């Protein structure tokens, strides 16, 4: 008789039945066609994790073909950053790879620039929700204003209406409000809202000189790093903690660094997104010789405002590579909000973005029962997906004309992104495109593996357990097993 892929015969049937049936029962998997338990080749690797099989959801299938293995694939689990594949695929399929975010400088209809370079009326900044808007992009837009003869501004009004009230407390998730991965989304985000502390080596005085970028009056650095002699054996590890002091933020630094390592930087959130934008706008405008007589505030641009300058982001195909390969949380949040704005109108929220995702996946035949789509990044304790549903989505992506753009956004095993130091053997390096997920009590891996036969396999592994970190060797074994098929 056959039982979920094992041959049972003769007097040894009890020994074989024990391993196979126990795995099926613990996994809650049916013994019917298309529902199999953990393949025998992987059971040893799973046992080595010392995790209960009840903590695993797994689906492995041929791309465009049958299911190979399925373990509790309908159990909703926290996918950590693997959630980003859902956000990026639905955005790519709905908006297209050439979609761009356009940030605009506007003026009142008919407003003129006088002989002294004064713009009549306010300068409106129409925020696009660009997830990759950088300091140099803002500088270029301001420079375009100067080229058009604008020198003096009375007031700057920032129109953030594309998104609704989406600000978050950066300390809510893990009580680390100064870490850039916790950055709040904002329709007018620059450099992810992060301040850079540059440490310059002064070998003559044996000191590290800290510089702030951008330098603002509301942020200062205190403390010092100890100078060490010797060979540089890796990136310096320093402490840089932000604490508020009235209206200012203080970045307190400490630690040791080898002078031979040379200049290095750390990034911290030293204020909210609005304050960061205002400080940077004022600094760059002043450096370009501009003046601002009043201030910067939020508001709405007139419906028929005239465009003075604009900036187009990189294409969505390029943006999702940054999100997936390097697991950028705030860029994923911004992409989900953009999806909500495009499909459900301005004033986008995570809820409107989630509704857009569900509708797109429904149209693609993906089962999202039990899913919880809260912010699109996976930096969440509440987010949930199923292994079966995610495998369906990855299969739909594989069969889509947009497959090359999506697959190329994933990290390549042993080569780049979050798996550059994993799966580096001759048999696995470059053979898989993967997205990893890491949270306390949660580990996930999903993507595509090229087998030795030339077939492509879809892999989804989700583990929720206090000891979830132990699953990494098992996930690597999964990829190795598929790469050898």
């Amino acid at each position: 008789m056959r039982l979920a892929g094992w041959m049972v015969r003769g007097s040894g049937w009890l020994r074989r039945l024990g391993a196979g049936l126990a795995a099926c029962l613990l996994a809650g998997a049916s013994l019917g066609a298309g529902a199999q338990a953990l393949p025998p080749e992987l059971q040893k690797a799973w046992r080595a994790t010392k995790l209960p099989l009840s903590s695993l959801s797994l689906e492995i299938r041929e791309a465009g073909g049958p299911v190979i293995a399925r373990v509790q694939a309908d159990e909703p689990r926290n996918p950590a950053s693997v959630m980003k594949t859902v956000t990026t695929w639905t955005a790519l399929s709905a908006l297209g790879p050439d979609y761009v975010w356009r940030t605009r400088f506007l003026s009142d209809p008919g407003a003129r620039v006088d002989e002294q370079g004064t713009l009549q009326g306010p300068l409106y900044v129409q925020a696009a929700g660009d997830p990759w808007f950088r300091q140099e992009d803002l500088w270029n837009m301001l420079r375009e204003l100067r080229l058009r003869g604008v020198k003096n501004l009375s007031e700057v009004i920032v129109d953030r209406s594309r998104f609704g009230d989406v600000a978050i407390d950066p300390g809510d998730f893990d009580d680390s409000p100064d870490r850039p991965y916790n950055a709040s989304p904002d329709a007018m985000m620059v450099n992810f809202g992060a301040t850079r502390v540059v440490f310059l080596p002064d070998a003559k005085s044996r000191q590290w000189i800290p510089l702030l970028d951008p330098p603002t009056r509301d942020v200062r650095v205190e403390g010092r790093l100890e100078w060490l002699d010797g060979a540089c054996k890796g990136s310096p590890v320093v402490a840089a903690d932000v604490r508020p002091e009235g209206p200012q933020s203080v970045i307190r630094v400490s630690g040791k660094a080898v002078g031979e390592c040379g200049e290095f930087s750390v990034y911290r959130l030293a204020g909210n997104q609005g304050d960061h934008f205002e400080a940077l706008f004022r600094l760059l405008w002043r450096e370009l010789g501009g003046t601002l007589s009043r201030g910067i505030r939020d508001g709405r641009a007139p419906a028929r405002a005239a465009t003075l300058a604009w900036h187009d982001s990189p294409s969505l195909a390029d943006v999702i590579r940054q999100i997936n390969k390097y697991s950028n949380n705030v860029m994923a949040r911004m992409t989900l909000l953009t999806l909500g704005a495009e499909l459900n109108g301005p004033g986008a929220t995570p809820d409107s973005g989630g509704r857009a995702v569900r509708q797109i996946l429904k149209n693609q035949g993906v089962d999202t029962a039990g899913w919880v789509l809260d912010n699109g990044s996976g930096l969440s304790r509440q987010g949930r997906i199923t292994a079966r549903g995610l495998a369906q989505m990855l299969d739909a992506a594989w069969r889509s004309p947009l497959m090359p753009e999506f697959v190329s956004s994933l990290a390549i095993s042993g080569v780049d992104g979050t798996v550059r130091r994993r799966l580096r053997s001759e048999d696995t390096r470059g053979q898989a495109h993967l997205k990893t997920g890491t949270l306390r009590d949660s580990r996930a891996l999903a993507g595509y593996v090229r087998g030795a036969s030339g077939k492509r396999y879809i892999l989804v592994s989700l583990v929720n357990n206090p000891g979830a970190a132990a699953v990494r060797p098992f996930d690597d074994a999964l990829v190795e097993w598929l790469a050898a098929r």
Side-chain angles (χ1 to χ4, degrees), residues 352-366:
S352 68
R355 293 199 309 272
V357 167
R358 288 181 182 278
Q359 187 58 54
I360 293 164
L361 293 180
K362 180 180 179 181
N363 293 341
Q364 295 175 358
V366 175

Side-chain angles (χ1 to χ4, degrees), residues 156-203:
V156 176
I157 298 176
V158 184
D159 186 344
R160 291 180 162 87
S161 60
R162 183 165 175 77
F163 295 168
D165 183 8
V166 297
I168 63 169
D169 180 349
D172 274 353
F173 180 72
D174 59 4
D175 200 29
S176 298
D178 59 355
R179 294 315 192 251
Y181 64 80
N182 277 324
S184 174
D186 188 274
M188 192 60 251
M189 181 179 72
V190 188
N191 282 1
F192 312 127
T195 296
R196 182 169 70 124
V197 184
V198 186
F199 292 94
L200 299 178
D202 185 342

